[in-house]
Amino acid sequence: MRYGTLAPRPGRPDGTAAGWPASAPPVAPAGELPPAPALPRIKVLHVITRFRAGAGGNTLLSAAGLDADRYEVWVAGVPGGDLWAQARAAGVRTVEIPGFRHTLAPGDLLVLGRLVRLIRRERFTVVHTHSAKGGFLGRVAAGLCRTPVVVHTFHGLSFHPYMSRSRRTLYRALERVTRRLAHGFLAVAPRVAQEVVEQRLAPPGRVEVVPSAVRLADIPEAFDPGARALLGVPRGTALVGTVGRVDTQKDPLAFVRMAAAIRARHPDTAFVMIGDGPLAGEVRGLAADLGVEVTLTGERPDADRLVAGLDVFVITSRYEGLGRALTEALAAARPVVATAVNGVPDLVEHGATGLLVPPADPGSAARAVGWLLDHPREAARMGRQGSLRVRAAFAPEAMCGAVDACYRGLLGLPAAARAPGGALDR
């Protein structure tokens, strides 16, 4: 879907779209034909800041899921993180750029120079940028190199109310300056698309919404007793948990305060935070002060499975483009409570696929979780409806098909044919 109004494309009298003729079916199996020459592939470079869970996971699925016969895909970004090895194992070319950091730094000019040299040397047809720093440096480098096609994905806004006014103004200005350097824009949710248009980060009618996919095949479709056993909590104990980096954005201290409030009415409830981060020590200290036990598991590679062992999944984020862990929890049919920020209300419809609460309001979050615990039948129905919604729209194949269509459209290539089952017929 697109945020904005587009003029309809001209069509043929029979109602089909005008354009290049559809491909003809082969007349013999490929193994029986003389070998075909190798055709040149479209070189794509993804530029991302931190190549890790969240936007990094989305980018990895996009890079690894494109047709390898048509595309040669590279990823460049900040060194470090386990996704680099996964990308290489999937056949994606990787470049960890020395000096590339998450925050603005004097060395950014050197990073820009390294990106320019990489783009000029490899002569990429498409540069696809992600996140604030990667989006700015990647678009500037692509512009300096006159890259034919530049695409930017908004996984969320790079600025938010919790920044200082000067920093927020700077980030907004950088986004606006580089909007003219991109030919296409993607957003992970409709409200994210709306925000970027309202903030004049992209032109009206030019933002295409592409749901941020997750590996659905790796996620249980219902409560998983094995996941509960791995978390070490008996099945008879209600377990409320979250998944994500333990940092300011996720507001883990609000989760602890929520947990303390829940214990007042549901004393047998257990709480778990799956993840790690700079606020882990403060979480443990606040939990001790409030007399509530919150288990921190640290980072877990099986987090997408462990979420299926929860009775209620909660995110207390202050800002969130969409929330990859939230999507995984819904895929596992978990009842969810989530803060109504950015793109989250597009996925969590209050009373239908979960409950929404204001950010920085542990009391409201505690009441919402308590309602789900007191109404298990309604909670289970919300979980099932959330799972159906995610599994219908957030498959990697759907996201990669949309990205492929974006590239094809900007390059003037015909749309990929679809097989009878709906999959791309390449």
Side-chain angles (χ1 to χ4, degrees):
M1 69 186 83
R2 290 184 184 272
Y3 185 77
T5 303
L6 297 178
R9 294 183 179 181
R12 301 188 183 95
D14 62 0
T16 60
W20 195 254
S23 298
V27 299
E32 297 180 6
L33 297 172
L39 300 178
R41 294 189 293 171
I42 300 167
K43 294 188 71 170
V44 178
L45 172 66
H46 288 272
V47 181
I48 187 167
T49 310
R50 291 186 294 193
F51 193 38
R52 55 187 308 163
N58 169 284
T59 303
L60 175 57
L61 287 179
S62 297
L66 288 177
D67 182 5
D69 291 334
R70 179 174 292 275
Y71 296 100
E72 178 186 330
V73 186
W74 295 51
V75 176
V78 173
D82 59 347
L83 293 186
W84 291 108
Q86 294 183 37
R88 287 188 284 270
V92 176
R93 301 286 296 272
T94 61
V95 182
E96 299 180 57
I97 301 177
F100 202 173
R101 296 172 55 186
H102 173 59
T103 55
L104 294 174
D108 288 343
L109 285 176
L110 293 175
V111 174
L112 178 61
R114 290 174 179 131
L115 275 172
V116 167
R117 287 194 294 274
L118 172 65
I119 294 171
R120 283 180 175 163
R121 185 185 75 230
E122 298 298 333
R123 301 178 65 85
F124 294 100
T125 300
V126 179
V127 169
H128 189 157
T129 64
H130 308 261
S131 58
K133 186 84 168 284
F136 175 73
L137 293 177
R139 279 182 278 178
V140 171
L144 291 172
C145 297
R146 297 176 177 268
T147 301
V149 170
V150 181
V151 177
H152 179 67
T153 292
F154 291 99
H155 299 271
L157 269 64
S158 60
F159 49 89
H160 50 79
Y162 302 95
M163 285 178 167
S164 66
R165 177 174 294 183
S166 59
R167 191 178 176 196
R168 189 164 62 248
T169 300
L170 173 61
Y171 275 63
R172 184 189 290 113
L174 293 176
E175 291 273 17
R176 288 176 178 171
V177 164
T178 51
R179 87 173 200 166
R180 291 186 175 88
L181 299 176
H183 306 102
F185 300 90
L186 307 179
V188 297
R191 289 175 189 265
V192 174
Q194 177 182 338
E195 288 177 337
V196 302
V197 171
E198 290 174 343
Q199 293 290 339
R200 302 195 301 280
L201 310 184
R206 292 274 303 282
V207 185
E208 184 174 353
V209 177
V210 178
S212 181
V214 294
R215 296 184 186 277
L216 296 173
D218 299 337
I219 302 172
E221 297 187 29
F223 177 83
D224 183 1
R228 174 61 68 89
L230 290 173
L231 290 169
V233 178
R235 179 66 186 100
T237 300
L239 180 59
V240 177
T242 189
V243 177
R245 185 166 168 76
V246 186
D247 62 9
T248 302
Q249 175 190 351
K250 306 298 183 181
D251 201 0
L253 301 183
F255 182 93
V256 176
R257 294 187 177 96
M258 174 205 71
I262 292 171
R263 286 293 294 270
R265 287 195 55 195
H266 299 82
D268 295 330
T269 306
F271 303 92
V272 62
M273 301 179 73
I274 303 169
D276 201 357
L279 296 185
E282 291 186 42
V283 165
R284 293 187 178 94
L286 179 61
D289 291 343
L290 297 178
V292 60
E293 183 177 351
V294 177
T295 300
L296 280 80
T297 67
E299 290 191 10
R300 292 286 300 256
D302 56 350
D304 54 353
R305 182 195 172 192
L306 291 180
V307 74
L310 304 177
D311 290 299
V312 179
F313 176 86
V314 180
I315 62 166
T316 52
S317 299
R318 296 181 175 185
Y319 53 95
E320 191 77 66
L322 188 62
R324 191 174 189 81
L326 173 62
T327 308
E328 293 173 345
L330 286 168
R334 297 301 82 211
V336 304
V337 172
T339 45
V341 294
N342 305 108
V344 171
D346 290 320
L347 188 56
V348 181
E349 295 187 56
H350 190 76
T353 58
L355 296 178
L356 294 168
V357 296
D361 190 344
S364 292
R367 286 189 290 273
V369 172
W371 192 93
L372 292 175
L373 294 175
D374 291 336
H375 298 80
R377 181 177 299 178
E378 291 85 352
R381 186 175 178 186
M382 288 183 196
R384 288 194 297 271
Q385 292 187 160
S387 180
L388 289 172
R389 189 174 195 192
V390 166
R391 291 183 179 275
F394 288 78
E397 296 80 9
M399 181 182 71
C400 292
V403 171
D404 172 69
C406 173
Y407 295 169
R408 287 174 183 260
L410 292 170
L411 289 167
L413 298 173
R418 290 194 172 271
L424 290 178
D425 183 3
R426 296 174 177 135

